[in-house]
Amino acid sequence: MRIDVLTLFPPMFEPVLGSSILKRAAEAGRVSYHLTDIRAHTTNKHGKVDDRPYGGGPGMVMACQPLWDCVQAVEQQDPLPATRVMMTPQGKPLTQPMCERLAELPRLLIIAGHYEGIDERVVEELAPLEISIGDYVLSGGELPAMVLIDAVVRLLPGVLGHDESAFHDSFSPGANRLLDHPHYTRPPEWRGKTVPDVLLSGDHAAIEKWRKQQAEDRTSQRRPDLMKERDEPNDSND
Ligand code: ADE
């Protein structure tokens, strides 16, 4: 997969894309990252990419021209067709099924906006998938873009080793799209707390049953909405 990121702050991405699993995925040739500075595409002689909002109000609005030209230039760098994605708190909430679908695409072009917003005309013209990482507001789309990249890249074939497989993670198919069960490791006793006997029993069927029950109890207590969704699947929530 090719991932393009269009941002005003390329250096913010370097430590994240250059560490841990995201770095390993690129080294293994499963993904390539391409950072482009939107400012490099402005025709404004002072390097401006934003302006005051029509109608008044606080903050600045990202102008159409730099972003439009930047998208055109980046798309031309490679014939692979790009799926355009824009990070915005007004977008569709990011979910695990959505990440699974994005992981099947050959190329993502992620726009990490900044400022109060982006001129609606360029958003309409680019027609990106608009994605939110939750009902809270960050200072820009950079951290949300990194969240999206991490969630997608770890799903690419061959990125996680067998021991790290994403299949049983919370919200994933192997966890029935519920929260994960609790985990324990050595020692068998710590600060007077012991490990549930069943996990030491060697009885794999009993362990599976216990884990499934724990996952369901946890989900009912912490995220009753997920239990409800399982009973009444709702694709629009994907
Ligand atoms: N930009 C600012 N806040 C955001 C959010 N919650 N999700 C996606 N992009 C954002």
Side-chain angles (χ1 to χ4, degrees), residues 1-234:
M1 168 183 271
R2 172 177 169 127
I3 300 181
D4 288 285
V5 183
L6 280 52
T7 169
L8 291 167
F9 300 98
M12 280 181 74
F13 288 82
E14 283 158 13
V16 173
L17 301 181
S19 311
S20 184
I21 286 169
L22 296 182
K23 177 186 185 189
R24 224 169 62 198
E27 285 172 350
R30 309 287 173 176
V31 64
S32 63
Y33 309 115
H34 306 263
L35 301 171
T36 302
D37 188 345
I38 299 169
R39 199 179 300 281
H41 292 268
T42 183
T43 52
N44 180 281
K45 61 177 185 288
H46 305 293
K48 257 180 69 134
V49 293
D50 61 335
D51 216 325
R52 284 166 295 138
Y54 278 125
M60 299 292 270
V61 176
M62 191 183 278
C64 295
Q65 179 276 319
L67 182 57
W68 176 257
D69 287 2
C70 186
V71 171
Q72 305 310 311
V74 168
E75 287 186 347
Q76 279 167 29
Q77 288 171 8
D78 193 304
L80 273 180
T83 298
R84 298 171 180 166
V85 174
M86 180 177 284
M87 308 314 297
T88 162
Q90 284 96 49
K92 207 169 166 179
L94 183 64
T95 62
Q96 193 67 24
M98 226 157 128
C99 294
E100 289 162 13
R101 288 198 291 267
L102 293 173
E104 288 174 4
L105 298 169
R107 183 179 182 191
L108 296 179
L109 183 151
I110 304 173
I111 300 164
H114 216 83
Y115 306 119
E116 204 57 33
I118 297 176
D119 190 310
E120 192 62 21
R121 294 167 297 180
V122 71
V123 179
E124 283 173 15
E125 222 31 48
L126 292 170
L129 290 173
E130 296 183 57
I131 297 180
S132 164
I133 62 158
D135 291 346
Y136 43 85
V137 177
L138 299 166
S139 316
E142 295 81 15
L143 291 168
M146 291 185 238
V147 166
L148 176 67
I149 293 169
D150 188 282
V152 169
V153 169
R154 64 197 298 285
L155 298 178
L156 298 177
V159 167
L160 295 185
H162 180 67
D163 289 349
E164 308 160 306
S165 168
F167 185 72
H168 291 285
D169 284 348
S170 294
F171 315 113
S172 297
N176 281 323
R177 304 247 175 246
L178 301 182
L179 301 184
D180 199 2
H181 56 78
H183 297 261
Y184 297 86
T185 187
R186 288 186 291 178
E189 188 178 333
W190 180 76
R191 289 171 69 97
K193 289 170 148 336
T194 56
V195 173
D197 286 338
V198 64
L199 298 180
L200 310 175
S201 70
D203 180 343
H204 294 294
I207 291 170
E208 261 328 288
K209 191 163 166 239
W210 179 86
R211 286 180 168 165
K212 188 163 174 279
Q213 189 62 52
Q214 288 286 316
E216 288 179 4
D217 292 351
R218 253 188 184 194
T219 309
S220 301
Q221 281 162 16
R222 301 180 186 185
R223 292 291 305 277
D225 56 310
L226 294 178
M227 294 301 282
K228 211 162 151 257
E229 228 169 73
R230 199 173 59 145
D231 299 337
E232 313 157 17
N234 172 6

